[in-house]
Amino acid sequence: MLRAGTTKLATAAALPICEQQRGMATLKDISLRLKSVKNIQKITKSMKMVAAAKYAKAERDLKGARSYGVGAKAFFDNIDPKTEEAAGETKKKQLLVLITSDRGLCGAVHSSIAKEAKNILNHKAADVDYKLVTIGDKSKAALQRVFASTIALSGNEIGRTPPSFEDAAIAAQAILDSGIEFDEGTILFNKFKTVVSYQTSKLPILPLEAIKAKEALNTYDSVDDDVLQSYSEYSLAQLIYYAMKENATSEQSSRMTAMDGASKNAGEMIDKLTLAFNRTRQAVITRELIEIISGAACV
Amino acid sequence: MLARGLRVAAQITKRGLAAAAPAQSSTDQLRFTFASPDKSIFNNTVVKQVDVPTVAGIVGVLASHVPTIGVLKPGVVQVTDNEGQVSKYFVSSGTLSMNIDGSCQVLAEEAIKLEEIDEAAARQELESAQRAQNEGSEKDRAEAGIRVEVADALLKAVGGGH
């Protein structure tokens, strides 16, 4: 069984060599390609190391950020318990905040957010109006072509440094300053599960008027408008911060696995090319020998 | 036999309490979460009492406190846990929410243990903020005013009172 397998592999390896003699047979071509693939492997390996270091830091930060974010969410969970009946009716004006970053080569992290956003926008009811806030160039680029009119705000320079509360505060301030009116909002981000998996998740956000309209708010004591407004604005920043932190961790872990896969693929290509190089080299030597021998025979 | 009967009875009563909890406004344990953006100090831990400085005054939260929300003022948060240990943290700003389900969250923008405050640096900050308060645009002056408030509260916290 094993012998049959190796002969199959040998013929498979031999076939491209026959074609190579018509196409890129020369030793120089193969060695050029080999050098470039080796360089690429070095680059992807170093990218993987960098991503691993950034991921370790991001995961440490996430521990603190998680209890912060879950705490911020608790108030909204309490005043707006998700019941089955309430889920059916969607409000007219919706806001979508997409958390991505500017940098690519990180697997499906950005495309999954863009896909979910496209899904929501394509399957919305006719009278529902969506406005998008894209944080990070990747989501903007993905949605620019078809949904450019829905993009209200976009942020860039994300992804170079780990997200801080200040960044989230800037984003929240921009949303509040822009005067976008919305009845309900959702933050789309990638929630970090493990090194190899993350999940695209949603965080609900409620603007001031919607919070005031919730009846559960009446059980809360001594809540005046000032306090409520400060609280809702601050909560927006808190939730955006939490989503940014989770997304950053997912992105770094995804980049790490993607670069690891790329390095492995490059390694395989190097092996195949090295084999091809050696065969070609031997073929060249054999040809030269034959020429010399037959030339000598002529003489 | 008697022990098993007692255990079963305890389980039944526990189950009964769990079913009733959503109906009640809060349980008789204060589940406290105290976090800042980069670290979590208490995460759903059961404590006895928390004193929180809000814009409306210092709010003392015990278990079964009525639900409320508030905005933090620069000051000291004092946590008394079930063994009676008191820990004090300085907070710069943030939010407080005491929820219907009996959980309390204090989410501070910056939180630092009192022992770790550098008094000299705080004093310097107060002086520079007071200088900045007299110049600049309306917005700059307001920001400088906030810095003065925080530095002032920092020094007061280090000084021992709160």
Side-chain angles (χ1 to χ4, degrees), chain A residues 37-245:
Chain A
V37 176
K38 274 195 181 144
N39 278 338
I40 290 180
Q41 193 195 36
K42 279 198 204 119
I43 293 174
T44 52
K45 247 195 199 142
S46 69
M47 278 187 79
K48 176 191 158 197
M49 298 271 128
V50 168
K54 288 195 177 168
Y55 158 73
K57 179 171 193 299
E59 213 206 343
R60 271 199 311 266
D61 289 347
L62 189 61
K63 273 201 207 88
R66 251 203 187 146
S67 56
Y68 191 75
V70 169
K73 218 168 112 205
F75 172 69
F76 294 98
D77 286 340
N78 269 283
I79 64 168
D80 185 23
K82 294 284 171 226
T83 51
E84 292 309 309
E85 319 96 63
E89 165 210 319
T90 30
K91 303 284 164 46
K92 295 294 176 269
K93 298 212 192 101
Q94 298 265 357
L95 178 74
L96 269 183
V97 182
L98 307 179
I99 314 269
T100 54
S101 84
D102 292 351
R103 302 180 140 196
L105 291 179
C106 51
V109 167
H110 303 314
S111 52
S112 64
I113 299 275
K115 203 160 66 148
E116 181 65 30
K118 278 188 202 158
N119 200 14
I120 295 178
L121 288 172
N122 283 328
H123 292 111
K124 68 177 172 84
D127 53 352
V128 175
D129 187 34
Y130 274 92
K131 282 256 176 312
L132 252 53
V133 173
T134 54
I135 298 187
D137 280 335
K138 286 288 169 191
S139 52
K140 182 163 119 171
L143 296 172
Q144 186 87 334
R145 217 140 21 103
V146 188
F147 298 109
S149 54
T150 54
I151 298 181
L153 282 175
S154 66
N156 57 5
E157 293 296 313
I158 315 271
R160 234 187 290 175
T161 52
S164 68
F165 190 73
E166 214 178 302
D167 301 331
I170 294 174
Q173 189 70 44
I175 295 179
L176 293 165
D177 283 344
S178 69
I180 303 177
E181 286 189 12
F182 59 103
D183 301 321
E184 219 173 38
T186 322
I187 303 179
L188 277 180
F189 67 108
N190 287 305
K191 193 171 154 103
F192 174 73
K193 276 180 16 199
T194 66
V195 183
V196 294
S197 78
Y198 54 85
Q199 196 179 29
T200 313
S201 324
K202 300 185 185 162
L203 264 183
I205 44 181
L206 291 171
L208 187 57
E209 294 76 37
I211 299 180
K212 279 196 211 161
K214 294 281 173 205
E215 34 186 83
L217 192 63
N218 295 329
T219 55
Y220 281 77
D221 180 41
S222 72
V223 169
D224 54 354
D225 274 355
D226 243 0
V227 168
L228 198 52
Q229 186 182 10
S230 306
Y231 189 87
S232 77
E233 290 176 0
Y234 204 77
S235 289
L236 182 62
Q238 288 170 338
L239 291 171
I240 292 181
Y241 172 76
Y242 173 56
M244 277 177 156
K245 273 290 195 224

Side-chain angles (χ1 to χ4, degrees), chain A residues 227-269:
Chain A
V227 168
L228 198 52
Q229 186 182 10
S230 306
Y231 189 87
S232 77
E233 290 176 0
Y234 204 77
S235 289
L236 182 62
Q238 288 170 338
L239 291 171
I240 292 181
Y241 172 76
Y242 173 56
M244 277 177 156
K245 273 290 195 224
E246 290 264 3
N247 200 64
T249 313
S250 311
E251 182 188 327
Q252 297 299 346
S253 78
S254 182
R255 184 169 291 129
M256 196 168 70
T257 33
M259 290 297 103
D260 187 35
S263 307
K264 280 207 189 82
N265 290 341
E268 278 174 24
M269 277 181 80

